[in-house]
Every structure is written in C-alpha cells, then in structure tokens.
C-alpha cells in the first residue's frame, strides 16, 4: 500500500493579481508534491483562494463590483496561475464554495459547543492589510510591526479562548520537534507563545463579506478562522470522507514566514479545541525582495510570473526560484541573476552536456545507446559516484532543502562535462572506438540520472530529455536510478533537440 502524503499551499487573497511571491510558494509545493509522487507516495496537493474578509471587500468596493463577482474574476487568475506554472495540484478550493462554508461553520459549531468560543466585545487595533489584530505594545510608530496601517476597532465579537491553549501548544511543540521548520522559526514561535497568549477575536460586525455566524448573523467569521479551515473542508470535513480519512492530518502546510503564526499557533489551537489531529509540519519560507527592494505596488516593482515565463521559459523560472535562494531564507530576485544562472547552469552546463553528447552519438554512434558492458562501467567513478549523489539529493529534498539538492545535480553535470574534456571522445573516434562507446555510454547514463532528479523541478524539459534518451515513460522515478535499470545498449535514440536555449535579455 503506498503511503499517503498531503501538502498544501496557503490559499491566496483575491484582492490582487498573482505575483512572484505567490508563484514561489506554489512552485515549492509543486516540486515537493512531484518529488513525493516519484518516491512512491499517494500525494494530494491542494491550493486555492482566500476570498472573504475586509481586505477583499474593500478591493471589490474600489472597483465597484460586488464581492462575489469580484472574487469570481480574481480567483480565475489564480487558477490560471496553476496552469501557467504547470502545478500538479489535485484540487483548488475557494472559500466562497458551499463545501468550504459547510466545513468552516461545522468547525465553528464544535468550538462553540465545547465551550471554547464566547461572546464579548473587541476594542483594539486591526490591520486590514494583514487581516490581523495587534496589541498596543506591539505597534511601531503607530503601525503594525509589518508596516501595515492599523485602525482602532470597537465592536461586539466572539472570542476563541486561545489563552487556555498556551501550555498544550508548548507541550505539542516539545513533543513534535519537527513541527515548525526551519528551526530558527520554531524558536520564534515558541518564544511568542511563552510570552503569553490572549484570547482571539474570531468574528467581526463592521463589514459583511464573510461566512455568517449561524447563531448570530450580524457577525461574520474572522477571515483566518474561515481560511485555515480550507485544509480540511477540501477533504470533505465535517463528513468523514475517504479523502479525509486518507489525508488528514496534513504532512506539510507550506507558508511564507509572514503567516507562520497563524499556522503554527492558531490553527493547531483550533484543531486541539475541536479534538482533531494537528498537521505534521509547517514549513516557512523566506521573502523575496526585488532588486534589493521590498516588492510593492507603490514602488512599481511587482514581478508578474507570466512575464518571467515569457522571457525565460517556464521550467527555467521554476528552476531559478528553487535554486537561487536557500529555502527558508530571505533572498533577492533580479532578472540579471536569473539570466546568469539560467545560462550558466541550464544552457551551458546541463543543456550543453545533453546536446553535445546526443549530437555526437547521433552522428558517430549510429543513433543508438552504445554497445558496452554496463556492469563494468558502473565500477568507473563517474557512474559509481551517482548513487551517493542520489541519496544526498533525497535527504535534502525531504527537508525541503531544494537549492542544496539542485547543487548535487549540478555537480553530476560538472563531473560529466569534465569527463568529456578529459576523455575527448572526438579523439577516441580515431584511436579507440571501444573506449569511445564506453565514454558516450557513461555520459548518457549520467544524463538519465540528471533528468530524473530534475523532473520535480522541470517536468516538461526533463520529460523531453528522457524522451531523447529513450527512457520508458513508466521508468522515470527514483526507484529506477540504479544499475538494474541502466540504459539498454543498442536501443535507438531519436534525433536530439536543444532543451535550454541561451537567454539574452536587454535590461
Ligand atoms: N490568505 C492568506 C493565507 C491564508 S492560508 C490559510 C495570505 N495570502 S497572500 O496572498 O497574502 O499570501 C500568500 C503567500 O504568498 C504567503 O505564503 C506569502 O508569504 C507569500 N508571499 C507574498 N509575497 C511574498 C514575497 N515577496 N516573497 C515570498 N513570498 C511571499 O497570506
């Protein structure tokens, strides 16, 4: 029986069009989802849109459209992003769908029945941009610590008794040391919880765009309680569906560092309060700046993923975002860095290795996998070193260390390119055809490893490369990375085609 694996992106606010920050989280999840499928897991990958709340209501008002039509339109752009980026998500949830509202109301009712929600009055600061409440003491120069403007809110409100869960949360983090990744973020969360939790306002009355509280329809549900529930409503909750039974608790909620607190504190507290299991892991990634600056509409430096795909290609975009910045850290995005890396690592290194090797075989090797003694060649260091690389790659991938995993694959390509120079098959063609065949075989066998290891990152380009290596469609997963499934001598190879053109962009 394959093991199940459930991974989610945050659901995106529909007040805005998709940008590179959204693409970043989604691509990371897609890479992970594809990696786990290729590792033999039955994967469920969820993404979607967060459509309620004051921020979305205001955005709709500003455009003079009613919020439902507005969210219908913007949500489509996020669905479009899944196609643009070739995401392999199994579902796309919108919080305005009935299935979601049912789930959110069911969770609310349980929290209320179990006595964890009570009616009171909220008086304090609220930042619409963050959809978050802030304490007076946390404000910096009259703004939220995130820089978002805050407003004073006084209204009747239901509260969730978060303060009661402080000890249970701390025990939970203690018992599950990997729950929050990376570790530096884990300490941040623990310190925050230790500093004392206040009960959380979970309903609003000063606007309308949200899920109505069944007991008191003047109130709409706080958008984060609504939104977090998507991870279970998409599985059919409150019904104990086969999907729910198979995939809850989630294996990974991938989030940006800005929304870690909601996922690592509020969400487990809601679930504990409802006697539901908590997710296994929250992975927080860093933030991208653009040419060294914060990305913002007012600066006018917002990067549209569509432009990157048009200029650099889809797989190049996916590769670059996972390769450039160690996952978990903040980092900078610039088109110049992208051009340099795509050219040096994809065009000049991997692309060139494939092109020169396959073109040479096509011309001088009968367009067939060379006829050699495979077992003997697996003793030579180029092939013998591959298994260790595969293991290292898998370790890194399991920890979401994508850039490190990619570095190992680049090393394989470096080794193979170095091998060509030393062995000089063009010279062997005149002196030692037998050795030439061996050299070419080791090169294309290395390419098979490279292509399979890069499949989660660049599914289209690597499928093309594997086609050019005549690797069966059903032999493109990690279990085939060994000698038993090595390329078979004498198999025909199609005419090679370039996979990664050099990019020249005028900046
Ligand atoms: N709707 C909430 C999430 C609810 S999940 C139950 C939300 N949406 S968002 O659209 O504002 O952000 C979604 C994701 O995009 C977050 O993980 C956030 O970190 C990420 N990014 C937005 N801008 C970013 C960068 N500049 N860099 C990297 N990721 C960033 O929050």
């Amino acid at each position: 029986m394959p093991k199940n694996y459930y991974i989610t992106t945050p659901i995106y606010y529909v007040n805005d069009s998709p940008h590179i920050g959204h693409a970043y989280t989604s691509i990371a999840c897609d890479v992970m989802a594809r990696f786990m499928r290729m590792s033999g897991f039955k994967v469920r990958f969820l993404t979607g849109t967060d459509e309620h709340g004051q921020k979305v209501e205001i955005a709709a008002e500003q455009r003079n459209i009613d919020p439902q039509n507005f969210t219908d339109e913007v949500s489509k752009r996020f669905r479009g992003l899944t196609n643009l980026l070739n995401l392999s998500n199994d579902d796309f949830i919108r919080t305005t769908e009935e299935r979601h509202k049912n789930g959110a109301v069911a969770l609310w009712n349980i929290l209320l029945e179990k006595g964890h929600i009570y009616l009171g009055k909220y008086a304090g600061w609220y930042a619409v941009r963050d959809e978050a409440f802030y304490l007076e003491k946390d404000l910096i120069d009259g703004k939220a610590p995130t820089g978002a403007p805050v407003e004073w809110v006084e209204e009747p409100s239901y509260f969730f008794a978060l303060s009661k869960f402080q000890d249970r949360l701390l025990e939970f983090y203690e018992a599950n040391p990997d729950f929050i990744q990376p570790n530096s973020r884990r300490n941040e969360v623990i310190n925050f919880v230790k500093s004392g939790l206040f009960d959380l306002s979970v309903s609003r009355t000063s606007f309308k765009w949200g899920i109505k509280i069944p007991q008191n329809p003047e109130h709409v549900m706080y958008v984060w309680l609504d939104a977090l529930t998507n991870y279970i409503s998409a599985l059919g909750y409150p019904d104990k569906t086969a999907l729910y039974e198979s995939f809850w608790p989630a294996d990974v909620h991938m989030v940006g560092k800005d929304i870690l607190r909601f996922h690592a504190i509020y969400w487990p507290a809601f679930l504990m309060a409802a006697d539901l299991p908590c997710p296994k892991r929250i992975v927080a990634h860093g933030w991208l700046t653009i040419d060294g600056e914060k990305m913002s509409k007012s600066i006018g430096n917002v990067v549209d993923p569509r432009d990157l795909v048009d200029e650099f290609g889809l797989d190049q975009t996916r590769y670059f975002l996972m390769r450039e910045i160690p996952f978990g850290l903040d980092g900078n995005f610039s088109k110049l860095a992208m051009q340099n890396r795509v050219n040096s690592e994809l065009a000049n290194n991997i692309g060139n290795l494939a092109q020169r090797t396959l073109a040479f075989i096509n011309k001088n090797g009968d367009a067939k996998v060379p006829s050699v003694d495979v077992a003997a060649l697996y003793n030579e260091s180029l092939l013998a070193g591959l298994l260790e690389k595969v293991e290292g790659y898998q370790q890194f991938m399991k920890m979401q260390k994508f850039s490190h995993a990619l570095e190992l694959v680049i090393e394989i390509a470096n080794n193979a390119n170095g091998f060509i120079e030393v062995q000089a098959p063009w010279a062997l063609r005149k002196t030692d055809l037998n050795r030439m065949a061996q050299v070419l075989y080791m090169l294309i066998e290395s390419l098979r490893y490279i292509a399979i290891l890069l499949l989660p990152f660049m599914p289209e380009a690597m499928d093309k490369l594997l086609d050019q290596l005549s690797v069966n469609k059903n032999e493109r997963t990690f279990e085939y990375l060994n000698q038993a499934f090595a390329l078979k001598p004498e198999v025909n190879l199609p005419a090679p085609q370039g996979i990664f053109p050099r990019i020249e962009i005028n900046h």
Side-chain angles (χ1 to χ4, degrees), residues 204-225:
R204 305 283 318 271
T205 45
S206 48
F207 65 92
K208 295 261 162 303
W209 184 237
I211 298 177
K212 283 196 172 37
I213 299 305
Q215 297 77 12
N216 198 341
E218 288 296 296
H219 291 244
V220 294
M221 199 181 292
Y222 173 41
V223 66
W224 271 101
L225 174 53

Side-chain angles (χ1 to χ4, degrees), residues 36 45 98 205 226 268 311 365 377 387 438 467 487 496 504:
M36 294 306 285
F45 169 20
E98 282 310 312
T205 45
D226 162 350
E311 281 182 52
L377 296 184
L387 286 185
Q438 292 178 345
D467 289 344
L487 291 170
E504 298 299 344

Side-chain angles (χ1 to χ4, degrees), residues 55-67:
K55 174 149 110 166
V56 173
E57 187 181 83
I58 292 172
E61 266 166 20
Q62 283 169 348
R63 287 175 187 72
N64 252 324
I65 319 179
D66 93 295

Side-chain angles (χ1 to χ4, degrees), residues 10-13 19 21-22 24-25 50 55 224 227-228 230-231 255-259 263 285-288 295:
I11 48 173
Y12 301 108
Y13 284 131
H19 59 60
H22 307 124
Y24 187 64
T25 318
D50 187 353
K55 174 149 110 166
W224 271 101
L228 286 161
N230 90 89
Y231 300 130
V255 300
K257 64 176 186 178
D258 53 316
I259 56 173
H263 284 82
H285 64 71
W287 263 49
L288 304 176
M295 182 166 62

Side-chain angles (χ1 to χ4, degrees), residues 3-43:
K3 281 213 268 169
N4 294 333
Y5 183 85
Y6 181 32
I7 183 166
T8 65
T9 73
I11 48 173
Y12 301 108
Y13 284 131
V14 289
N15 63 311
D16 216 348
S17 299
H19 59 60
I20 191 180
H22 307 124
Y24 187 64
T25 318
S26 284
I27 291 171
C29 284
D30 187 56
V31 166
M32 207 53 211
R34 288 176 187 271
F35 168 77
M36 294 306 285
R37 280 190 206 105
M38 285 176 64
S39 306
F41 284 75
K42 187 157 173 252
V43 171

Side-chain angles (χ1 to χ4, degrees), residues 175-440:
N176 299 279
D178 290 334
F179 176 62
I180 300 165
Q181 290 293 319
N183 270 329
S184 51
R185 302 257 170 241
R186 171 174 191 263
N187 299 336
E188 251 172 58
V189 170
I190 292 180
N191 289 337
F192 183 86
V193 174
K194 278 190 179 155
S195 75
L197 294 177
F198 293 87
D199 288 354
L200 179 70
S201 165
V202 284
S203 76
R204 305 283 318 271
T205 45
S206 48
F207 65 92
K208 295 261 162 303
W209 184 237
I211 298 177
K212 283 196 172 37
I213 299 305
Q215 297 77 12
N216 198 341
E218 288 296 296
H219 291 244
V220 294
M221 199 181 292
Y222 173 41
V223 66
W224 271 101
L225 174 53
D226 162 350
L228 286 161
T229 314
N230 90 89
Y231 300 130
I232 50 177
S233 65
L235 298 176
Y237 177 86
D239 297 335
K240 290 272 157 49
T241 57
L243 262 187
Y244 180 88
E245 296 294 345
S246 315
F247 291 104
W248 193 256
D251 293 272
V252 171
H253 293 318
M254 194 88 87
V255 300
K257 64 176 186 178
D258 53 316
I259 56 173
L260 176 60
R261 185 181 298 181
F262 301 93
H263 284 82
I265 302 174
Y266 299 170
W267 182 225
F270 296 151
L271 291 166
M272 284 172 185
D275 279 331
L276 294 170
C278 293
K280 292 181 202 153
R281 186 177 286 202
I282 315 286
V283 177
H285 64 71
W287 263 49
L288 304 176
T289 50
I290 310 298
D291 297 320
E293 288 196 270
K294 192 176 155 97
M295 182 166 62
S296 88
K297 268 204 214 147
S298 50
I299 300 177
N301 62 352
V302 176
V303 177
D304 183 341
R306 194 170 292 274
D307 293 340
L308 294 184
V309 170
D310 288 346
E311 281 182 52
F312 294 90
L314 169 61
D315 281 340
Q316 287 86 340
T317 302
R318 292 172 54 108
Y319 176 85
F320 178 73
L321 289 177
M322 295 299 102
R323 170 77 176 111
E324 179 75 357
I325 301 155
F327 203 67
L329 302 183
D330 291 335
N332 187 48
F333 173 87
S334 84
K335 284 195 176 176
L336 188 61
M338 182 156 175
Q339 176 181 323
N340 288 342
R341 204 180 269 282
V342 163
N343 281 341
S344 67
E345 293 182 356
L346 296 185
N348 298 351
N349 194 352
I350 294 171
N352 195 28
L353 172 68
Q355 185 61 22
R356 72 209 272 217
T357 308
L358 290 169
F360 193 91
I361 293 181
N362 201 258
K363 200 156 160 241
N364 306 300
D366 256 359
K368 283 184 172 31
V369 174
S371 195
V372 293
D373 174 358
V374 175
L377 296 184
Y378 257 83
N379 290 328
E380 289 206 27
S381 66
L382 191 67
L383 297 190
L386 288 172
L387 286 185
E388 198 188 315
K389 293 272 195 283
V390 173
E391 260 170 42
Y393 163 98
Q394 286 174 320
Q395 292 306 327
F396 283 137
M397 292 296 287
K398 283 181 195 151
M399 303 291 294
Q400 291 83 40
K401 287 182 177 284
F402 304 118
S403 55
H404 293 81
L406 287 171
E407 208 166 296
L408 286 182
V409 186
I410 293 294
E411 278 172 26
I412 301 178
N414 284 339
N415 291 346
N417 272 317
F419 188 73
I420 300 190
E421 296 306 322
V422 173
Q423 300 282 330
W426 50 90
L428 292 171
R429 190 162 64 91
K430 295 180 198 120
T431 55
D432 187 347
L433 283 177
N434 198 22
R435 183 61 187 163
M436 179 186 89
Q438 292 178 345
V439 168
L440 294 174

